[in-house]
Amino acid sequence: MQTDLGKYMDIQPEVADALAAGRPVVALETTIVFHGMPYPKNIECHNRCEEILRSKGVVPAAIAVHRGRIKIGLTPDIIREMLDSGDVTKLSRRDLPHVVAQGKSGATTVAATMIAAEMAGILVFATGGIGGVHRGGHTSFDISADLQQLAQSNVCVVCAGAKSILDIGLTLEYLETMGVPVLGWQTDEFPAFYTQRSGFKADYNMSGGKDIAAMLAAKWDMGLRGGAVVACPVPAAYAMDETAITQAIDQALAEAGAKGIHGKLSTPFLLAKVSEVTGGASLATNMQLVWNNCEKAADIAIQLENTPSKRRIFA
């Protein structure tokens, strides 16, 4: 980057040391902690993510803004302080400079996490599901900034597909237009977050981390900017019944529409409502798929660090 990022960003020593030594690092978003899951499941989910990554020799780097500073790696004390404050903004690309300039705190979405990860030099990021085109987006233009950011940041995003509250077909069309490769982890089918199937195809069926790392290295070596989506189906044992989750989502969407909820408030509302309707089953599935994504992201990060032709491009 052209500017002195030290003016805005603090990299936790463990993360900085790993990056300097060429050891694998995986970024984690924080909307899951501060907006996506209720307490204490949010802390349980986050802690388990870090445990999974460390168990594989990968350094976790949770990302947030704390008192105006972009933090690459969070301590438990900072997480607790932010939770206790009750004043944590949900940060996408447009929000990041305002919250930093105002000295406030915020939790990063997929888009904001990609931006901060790229600033720090982190190539792999694990999350639950990416944002996308909301249902009715062809008229409302309610489209997540995640999709634009995927075309701009050299970061691989490991997820369980797009959240099934979205229009998955239009989301994939948008990604195709933006030139973002959608890679299925040992699957031809693009998963639908809570379920393994969406009825839509991934661009390529990839055999695992080594295969994906080779593709990413080739992409970035050729100067093709932007990230990639690695879509990992939720493990079958934790996948939800398609009919049940569809009915819950339809009920949540109807209530959101009746209450006029849209924009950045829609996803947290819809996820919470779906969890309520399913008696907490969707939340349990959400946690399991996040942990599965962390395992896959660790493999990719390890393989990518071992790819001789890898060249980092953060211009």
Side-chain angles (χ1 to χ4, degrees):
M1 300 291 291
Q2 298 91 333
T3 190
D4 175 16
L5 292 176
K7 293 172 18 181
Y8 305 105
M9 183 170 65
D10 300 319
I11 303 180
Q12 188 183 37
E14 179 191 21
V15 178
D17 290 346
L19 291 170
R23 297 196 304 273
V25 178
V26 168
L28 300 170
E29 62 150 290
T30 46
T31 51
I32 287 175
V33 178
F34 297 105
H35 300 285
M37 294 183 182
Y39 181 84
K41 291 296 185 182
N42 54 349
I43 299 299
E44 178 186 346
C45 184
H46 175 76
N47 289 346
R48 181 61 182 148
C49 285
E50 294 208 337
E51 289 171 3
I52 289 169
L53 293 172
R54 292 187 192 283
S55 73
K56 294 180 175 293
V58 176
V59 174
I63 295 175
V65 175
H66 176 242
R67 300 182 183 179
R69 302 288 298 176
I70 300 172
K71 298 288 188 178
I72 311 296
L74 297 177
T75 64
D77 287 345
I78 289 178
I79 292 174
R80 172 55 57 191
E81 179 191 321
M82 291 176 65
L83 282 171
D84 289 345
S85 75
D87 184 22
V88 178
T89 303
K90 183 181 177 184
L91 300 178
S92 191
R93 181 186 179 96
R94 70 173 182 181
D95 313 297
L96 196 56
H98 173 75
V99 171
V100 168
Q102 293 294 316
K104 296 182 177 180
S105 296
T108 53
T109 60
V110 169
T113 304
M114 290 185 75
I115 291 169
E118 185 176 37
M119 287 178 180
I122 300 171
L123 300 176
V124 182
F125 159 36
T127 184
I130 60 170
V133 181
H134 281 259
R135 299 188 190 190
H138 60 290
T139 56
S140 69
F141 291 93
D142 191 351
I143 301 172
S144 170
D146 296 354
L147 303 187
Q148 282 275 346
Q149 202 59 49
L150 276 158
Q152 298 181 50
S153 292
N154 292 350
V155 178
C156 172
V157 179
V158 184
C159 62
K163 298 180 179 72
S164 43
I165 57 177
L166 304 170
D167 187 318
I168 292 177
L170 288 182
T171 296
L172 292 172
E173 288 287 352
Y174 196 105
L175 288 171
E176 179 184 4
T177 299
M178 300 306 295
V180 177
V182 177
L183 314 176
W185 182 284
Q186 300 178 3
T187 181
D188 291 315
E189 180 111 3
F190 186 76
F193 197 68
Y194 297 115
T195 62
Q196 294 188 322
R197 303 178 60 83
S198 68
F200 297 94
K201 297 296 184 182
D203 294 330
Y204 305 103
N205 184 334
M206 309 298 279
S207 62
K210 186 175 182 179
D211 197 15
I212 293 167
M215 192 226 75
L216 292 170
K219 181 181 192 296
W220 293 328
D221 278 349
M222 289 188 289
L224 298 175
R225 285 200 58 80
V229 174
V230 176
C232 307
V234 59
Y238 304 106
M240 297 197 67
D241 177 77
E242 291 185 28
T243 300
I245 194 62
T246 298
Q247 291 175 346
I249 289 170
D250 288 344
Q251 182 176 336
L253 287 166
E255 187 166 330
K259 293 182 175 180
I261 296 171
H262 56 85
K264 67 165 62 178
L265 298 178
S266 61
T267 298
F269 173 83
L270 291 170
L271 291 177
K273 190 63 182 180
V274 169
S275 179
E276 177 188 324
V277 173
T278 61
S282 66
L283 176 58
T285 294
N286 194 346
M287 295 172 72
Q288 291 292 339
L289 66 85
V290 171
W291 296 335
N292 180 61
N293 295 340
C294 285
E295 291 184 358
K296 304 301 189 291
D299 189 20
I300 296 168
I302 291 167
Q303 295 294 336
L304 194 54
E305 290 296 345
N306 292 331
T307 302
S309 62
K310 184 197 71 177
R311 177 162 62 91
R312 298 170 188 264
I313 305 170
F314 298 112

